[in-house]
Amino acid sequence: MPSPSRTREIARHVGGPTYDATTIAGTKALTNADDGKTFLVSQAAAYTISLPSISSVEKGWNATFSISVTGSNDVVVAPASGDEDTMYGLKLDITDTVEISDADSITFASGASVLCDRLYAETDGTRWFVFAMSSANNGHSIADS
């Protein structure tokens, strides 16, 4: 059996995961085909990024969102219609750590998010597990119903 580092090297050569960064600068509905992607998010305009319906993707579907252009506009990441109250996880910023439970959306906050602020979302087939990181105070806001 090859060593762990050799196994990763083999996987890369056989079509393993690659860094596939896609810029988002306007409203986007993600699909099953977006699994594993990294999205570079622009705050040049206000818009919503919709996660795919949980029932349309397999367990483990995930995406990472990272601020690449800061601005004075909110960018919302939300579950698909019908999947409200399914976001659970943690919001971590420079001054605070907040538990996310039954959330409807997470917003890269206008004027507060900074370059490289991130949001990771992954589904277990019934919920979205999220981790929001910001090096600014209140770089993300959480919407609950």
Side-chain angles (χ1 to χ4, degrees):
M1 173 175 234
S3 70
S5 62
R6 181 71 178 132
T7 301
R8 285 189 295 275
E9 181 183 344
I10 292 167
R12 280 193 297 272
H13 289 291
V14 180
T18 60
Y19 181 72
D20 183 15
T22 302
T23 298
I24 298 179
T27 299
K28 180 156 179 78
L30 301 180
T31 67
N32 194 42
D34 294 314
D35 184 19
K37 288 188 178 178
T38 297
F39 294 97
L40 303 176
V41 176
S42 170
Q43 287 184 299
Y47 57 93
T48 298
I49 301 167
S50 298
L51 297 170
S53 170
I54 292 173
S55 63
S56 72
V57 296
E58 293 190 27
K59 293 177 185 177
W61 186 100
N62 67 85
T64 301
F65 306 90
S66 184
I67 293 290
S68 64
V69 176
T70 58
S72 57
N73 295 289
D74 285 341
V75 176
V76 178
V77 178
S81 180
D83 286 345
E84 293 83 3
D85 299 325
T86 57
M87 298 179 103
Y88 294 83
L90 189 66
K91 177 185 98 152
L92 175 66
D93 67 32
I94 199 75
T95 60
D96 204 10
T97 301
V98 176
E99 178 185 3
I100 300 168
S101 181
D102 294 325
D104 293 324
S105 66
I106 299 175
T107 301
F108 287 101
S110 66
S113 288
V114 296
L115 198 61
C116 271
D117 279 3
R118 288 196 155 208
L119 171 65
Y120 174 79
E122 179 177 343
T123 185
D124 70 346
T126 58
R127 295 172 292 259
W128 287 106
F129 295 121
V130 294
F131 186 57
M133 300 168 285
S134 177
S135 58
N137 189 26
N138 296 315
H140 296 91
S141 62
I142 310 300
D144 293 331
S145 57

